Structures are given as structure tokens and as C-alpha cells.
Amino acid sequence: MTWELHLLLLLGLGLRSQEALPPPCERSTAMESSCTKFRWPSSTKMTSSLWICHWPHLQMKSCRSSVSWPQSTTTASPRNSFRNLSRVTSSPWGRSCSPGPLRTGRTALSSCRRSRMLICVSGRRSYTRSGKSWERRDSYWVMEGLLLSEMASTVKGMLQNFLDLVKTYGHIPNGGRIYYLQRSQPPLLTLMMDRYVAHTKDVAFLQENIGTLASELDFWTVNRTVSVVSGGQSYVLNRYYVPYGGPRPESYRKDAELANSVPEGDRETLWAELKAGAESGWDFSSRWLVGGPDPDLLSSIRTSKMVPADLNAFLCQAEELMSNFYSRLGNDTEATKYRNLRAQRLAAMEAVLWDEQKGAWFDYDLEKGKKNLEFYPSNLSPLWAGCFSDPSVADKALKYLEDSKILTYQYGIPTSLRNTGQQWDFPNAWAPLQDLVIRGLAKSASPRTQEVAFQLAQNWIKTNFKVYSQKSAMFEKYDISNGGHPGGGGEYEVQEGFGWTNGLALMLLDRYGDQLTSGTQLASLGPHCLVAALLLSLLLQ
């Protein structure tokens, strides 16, 4: 077979279906294949370090690792001591920081635009694997850690970059390349602004950008809504949805090969669902593998057919925050608008996603017309977001965790109970998912539920410390099936760093610093011996 024919076959993948769906990118390469090799004229050079951060006392640093741990024989510092530590230590975000120039090293091709402000990227994959120069979902937990480290100016710069993107594109693309423009990421920008304003009281910055925050939420209203009928009433909720054909440019060969396993007429749908899965941040998970005869195969992905509990929880919290923002700025009309939007979403979530018998929220399958009752930590995301009306839901959530036997896992909360080989499934555990459950349970007035929240925090910190002691690095995910190790699975090797792991570690140290230990014995979370486990842990010190 001649090379010309090989080329025609490659370029012809999905041509039949591209009549129905737009291509994955608006620009074409010299080979006339959308986005497979496009080079943006003003590509941004980025550092090869895992962090590019502005230090108040140390000028610019290029940091390879993350949290500096206390000695293994001591307890973590109390809250005030920890805050003081972050001001005086030379490397609270890294074990080996050395002066380094900004934006040197690797060149990130096909960048959408240059960032006006300094950014902190979340890990090595952010610039080597996919060319992403930001990860908004990661950045929420990164910012939490930066604010605890008194790095508010860096957070403001990151926020300004995101706001500029919304002004330019109408939303925040999935990453820093032109072919990510069709995808967003979970809508956490308003939540980030809230954390920054709460820390700095910079109301002027909020007032300057409140319209841009509204524009980003409008993107989700216009492009990602779906109507669901429950109990004879129609409700409007949101989903992840990227109606563009062709393989993902960043994973072109993998997607093209995967498409060979499905009928030709289903390939464009498969590629669109893969993009929606990437937009969700859970790329990939059994949460989305609901459409084929074998639910463990990636070819069964149907992301857009699910109404996710966590996406709607994020939007619910954003609507509440927008109402509070506008009230603070004296705009009662807009404050009332967002208050009403939140009330509508809260009613929809309770009608469609909430399960009173189980005590949790569940993704809703649009095709099957029922909830997906599999366990995922995202099932408790509305609790984390404060999107509920019944104060007892935190205690109901605790019973749900007990019934699901989640509290028997000693090294962290698993991402699911299904081992599909995908990275957002068992046995992996991820920092932000620990946060969803821990902070959700901590909202309860019940001492027992609060104690479980602490024990979950204790288990996660000890896992982080154990792996850090062995590897001298933090990781984006952890394998909790066998004593705690760096995670695996999915489309790439586990990444060091890592922004949201660092951020959550700092958050937990700040919240529970006078209780947490860094020993090697992991506290048991048997539901009937929580107090005994805590006392044993204290005695072992």
C-alpha cells in the first residue's frame, strides 16, 4: 500500500460522520486535518518545573516537590503555628526550591494565548502531556493552598488569567491549546473568586469582574443544560456535552484506534463522548461507561447522557455566591435573580438526584431514566457545596458511607468501587474527592459525624506522608488498595507534584493541625470503634 493511500486513510477517519458533527477544531493544519499538528504563532514558553510561583521573600522559585512535612514522631502544628510556618519556611511547597527564571525550558506548542499574569501549574502533565497551561478544576485546590501560604497576589494573577479567557472566549477552555476551545472544565471560577475575596477583602477586584463571572455561568446555561421530567414536572439541570466530531487532537491515535471497536456509524458519537468526559475532569471513569454491552470498556462511554451530581453542585454553589456578591455590591435585582436560580436548581436536585432512602445524591441517566446508584465520592458533592435544605443530610451521608463500607478503607476514600483500569476508578483515590466528603461531613452538628470527617482527614494525610517518605514527592492520585502507593491506570503515567494534593494537605493541616499525626500507623475507620481508634492513635504517640 502506498504512503499516499495510508495518508488518505488516516485523514478519512470519521469523514462520514463529520457531516453531522463539526470537527474538533476550527483551524486546519497544512495537512488539512483539523488540529492534529497545529502550531499557534505565539506559543508560550513554560518552565520545566512543577510550580512557577511568586514567593514574597524569595523572589521567583522553581519547585520540584511539595509540602514540607513535620517529623514523623511529632504531631502536626496547630492552626496558628502552621500559618506562621508558611511565612518563614523557605519551602512549604517544595523540598528543593532554587532560583529559576520564569517561562524557560519547554515550549508549549499551540497555546491559545499568552498569560498576562504568573500562573502556578498543577503538575508535570500540565505542560508535557497535553500542553495545558492551566487546569481550572485543579486550580481551585491549588489556590486554597496558596492562600494558606500567604500568596494572595499569585492567586489574583491566576484569577486574572481565567477572567481574561472568559472575556475573550466566553468560557475557560479545557486547556492552553486552540483545540480545547470547544471544551470547558467544571465551573469553579466563582468559587475561586469567593476564596480570594474572603481572604483578601478585595471587593474592588470583585466589582471589576462580577460581570465576567456572570458571563461564565451564562455559558453553562446556554450550552450545557438539559430538561429532566420527574414526578410529572420538568426540571432544568446541567451536563457535560461537547458536540464535536473527530478524535481528541491530544489523543488522536488512541481515539482513532478505540473507534475501530465500534460500528462506523457510532464513531463520531464515541469521540464526542470522550471529549465530554475530558470536559468533566473525570477522564475517564465508570461513571460515564453506561452505554455498551461491556461497562468496563471505554467504548461504552456516554458522558453526555448523565446529569452529574457534582457539576450541578458546583453551579448551585456558584449561584448562591453570585447572589451574595451582588448583595454585597448593592445590586438587589441581580442578587434576587441568582437567589431564584439557586432555588430552582436546589428543587431540581432534590427531585432528580437526591435519594432519601440511601442518603446521597446520584448521577441521573437520561437514557435509562433513573439514577446511577454506584458509589462515587461525587455523590456527596452537594453536601460539600452547601446545596441542601435539610440540616440532617450530613448524618444521612455518614450512614450512606457506612452502608457502602467506604469507612473500611484505611488509606483514603476510593474514587469508585469498580476496577475498570481507568484512573478515575478503584483503586485510585484523589485529593479533591477526599475534600468533597471531609468538608461535607464536617458541616454536621453531630460530634460523631465530625469525628468521622477528622478520621478521614487523618487517613489521607498519613497516606500522603507515607508515600512522600518513600518517593520524596506528592502525587496526583494514590492507589489505596495495598498500603498506599502512587496511583495508576488511565492514559498516562501518574504525575508528581501535585497542585491539588498539596493544596488539600495544607487545608487539612490548617483545619486539624493540632490533632493530626504523621506516624505510620493508619487509624481504623470501623464505624463502631471510632473513639477507640482515636484513643489508640493518641496512646501510640
Side-chain angles (χ1 to χ4, degrees):
M1 187 181 294
T2 66
W3 71 267
E4 291 92 346
L5 184 54
H6 276 294
L7 182 59
L8 286 173
L9 288 173
L10 175 63
L11 298 180
L13 285 171
L15 282 179
R16 170 184 168 184
S17 302
Q18 284 181 357
E19 296 174 2
L21 290 176
C25 181
E26 295 178 359
R27 294 176 179 268
S28 296
T29 67
M31 296 174 64
E32 297 301 324
S33 178
S34 296
C35 284
T36 57
K37 214 174 178 60
F38 179 77
R39 291 172 178 262
W40 192 247
S42 57
S43 59
T44 305
K45 291 186 176 181
M46 299 169 62
T47 181
S48 60
S49 66
L50 298 186
W51 287 90
I52 316 170
C53 303
H54 173 70
W55 287 91
H57 307 297
L58 300 178
Q59 297 178 348
M60 196 64 58
K61 294 296 174 181
S62 207
C63 307
R64 294 281 304 176
S65 206
S66 50
V67 144
S68 290
W69 293 94
Q71 294 298 316
S72 60
T73 56
T74 66
T75 58
S77 303
R79 181 177 308 230
N80 291 336
S81 299
F82 176 73
R83 288 184 180 275
N84 292 335
L85 173 67
S86 70
R87 293 190 184 97
V88 299
T89 184
S90 62
S91 57
W93 287 87
R95 64 184 177 88
S96 58
C97 291
S98 58
L102 175 63
R103 296 193 178 107
T104 59
R106 295 181 181 270
T107 298
L109 301 178
S110 311
S111 177
C112 285
R113 57 182 281 132
R114 290 180 182 271
S115 295
R116 293 201 299 115
M117 302 289 182
L118 181 63
I119 62 172
C120 285
V121 297
S122 54
R124 194 183 308 275
R125 179 172 64 95
S126 295
Y127 65 89
T128 59
R129 173 181 167 266
S130 61
K132 296 182 181 180
S133 56
W134 59 77
E135 298 231 6
R136 176 179 39 159
R137 178 189 46 137
D138 300 37
S139 296
Y140 173 84
W141 284 272
V142 170
M143 289 181 182
E144 290 271 22
L146 292 174
L147 290 173
L148 284 171
S149 301
E150 306 297 341
M151 297 173 66
S153 61
T154 303
V155 171
K156 185 175 184 179
M158 295 168 70
L159 277 170
Q160 188 64 67
N161 283 336
F162 291 142
L163 292 162
D164 286 350
L165 288 164
V166 175
K167 292 174 184 177
T168 304
Y169 302 113
H171 69 289
I172 302 175
N174 200 203
R177 292 191 176 189
I178 196 71
Y179 48 71
Y180 288 121
L181 285 175
Q182 297 160 343
R183 310 174 220 162
S184 180
Q185 280 199 25
L188 294 168
L189 180 59
T190 304
L191 280 62
M192 286 189 247
M193 177 66 81
D194 174 65
R195 303 310 306 135
Y196 170 75
V197 173
H199 183 88
T200 63
K201 315 302 181 188
D202 189 354
V203 180
F205 186 68
L206 170 63
Q207 185 164 18
E208 178 186 349
N209 294 289
I210 187 72
T212 306
L213 297 179
S215 296
E216 200 230 357
L217 295 182
D218 288 344
F219 167 84
W220 290 90
T221 300
V222 173
N223 300 285
R224 302 292 190 265
T225 55
V226 64
S227 179
V228 183
V229 176
S230 177
Q233 186 171 346
S234 181
Y235 298 94
V236 175
L237 289 165
N238 287 81
R239 61 174 171 167
Y240 296 108
Y241 179 61
V242 184
Y244 290 89
R248 290 171 296 156
E250 72 274 20
S251 299
Y252 195 97
R253 185 178 67 179
K254 292 180 180 178
D255 287 4
E257 292 173 349
L258 181 64
N260 291 329
S261 65
V262 302
E264 184 177 355
D266 295 338
R267 291 175 183 176
E268 288 294 334
T269 297
L270 170 62
W271 290 327
E273 296 295 350
L274 289 168
K275 294 184 184 72
E279 182 176 68
S280 77
W282 288 55
D283 46 348
F284 294 102
S285 169
S286 60
R287 284 182 76 185
W288 319 132
L289 307 184
V290 296
D294 188 339
D296 288 343
L297 295 181
L298 187 55
S299 57
S300 68
I301 188 168
R302 294 294 185 274
T303 313
S304 70
K305 306 307 179 185
M306 305 299 292
V307 178
D310 48 358
L311 170 60
N312 285 279
F314 296 148
L315 288 167
C316 183
Q317 184 173 3
E319 287 158 352
E320 181 179 23
L321 291 173
M322 289 294 285
S323 179
N324 296 338
F325 288 162
Y326 275 116
S327 292
R328 189 171 185 177
L329 298 175
N331 190 331
D332 293 337
T333 300
E334 290 298 309
T336 300
K337 168 189 168 182
Y338 282 99
R339 191 179 309 118
N340 292 337
L341 287 173
R342 180 188 182 274
Q344 294 169 14
R345 187 179 301 277
L346 180 59
M349 293 175 66
E350 290 180 349
V352 178
L353 307 180
W354 170 253
D355 189 299
E356 178 66 27
Q357 183 178 359
K358 292 187 175 295
W361 297 260
F362 296 92
D363 300 341
Y364 184 83
D365 190 321
L366 293 167
E367 288 187 327
K368 298 177 182 177
K370 63 180 183 179
K371 302 179 184 73
N372 178 5
L373 298 181
E374 295 283 342
F375 170 80
Y376 303 101
S378 54
N379 295 345
L380 298 186
S381 54
L383 183 60
W384 176 87
C387 196
F388 56 89
S389 55
D390 179 3
S392 68
V393 295
D395 301 321
K396 294 176 181 178
L398 173 58
K399 185 177 184 305
Y400 168 66
L401 293 173
E402 292 174 345
D403 292 344
S404 303
K405 304 188 184 306
I406 300 305
L407 303 184
T408 63
Y409 291 93
Q410 296 183 327
Y411 298 94
I413 302 165
T415 305
S416 79
L417 299 181
R418 287 175 54 188
N419 191 341
T420 64
Q422 300 301 327
Q423 63 172 347
W424 288 88
D425 274 319
F426 189 87
N428 285 337
W430 297 76
L433 302 185
Q434 315 302 305
D435 185 42
L436 292 182
V437 177
I438 292 169
R439 279 204 282 177
L441 294 178
K443 294 180 185 292
S444 172
S446 164
R448 181 167 178 268
T449 305
Q450 291 186 18
E451 177 62 23
V452 172
F454 162 70
Q455 289 288 353
L456 292 170
Q458 176 71 89
N459 283 0
W460 184 248
I461 286 294
K462 285 185 174 180
T463 296
N464 289 172
F465 179 71
K466 176 183 177 181
V467 176
Y468 183 88
S469 299
Q470 298 170 350
K471 304 290 186 179
S472 298
M474 302 286 274
F475 291 87
E476 61 169 347
K477 55 184 178 279
Y478 293 83
D479 180 339
I480 61 169
S481 63
N482 186 25
H485 300 281
E491 297 185 316
Y492 59 90
E493 295 298 321
V494 62
Q495 299 297 302
E496 294 182 9
F498 192 83
W500 58 19
T501 310
N502 303 342
L504 180 61
L506 294 179
M507 292 164 64
L508 296 179
L509 289 170
D510 181 61
R511 183 174 188 128
Y512 299 112
D514 54 349
Q515 301 172 265
L516 292 170
T517 65
S518 55
T520 57
Q521 294 85 5
L522 284 164
S524 174
L525 266 178
H528 304 297
C529 56
L530 293 171
V531 175
L534 176 61
L535 291 175
L536 178 61
S537 176
L538 293 173
L539 289 173
L540 288 174
Q541 295 179 46

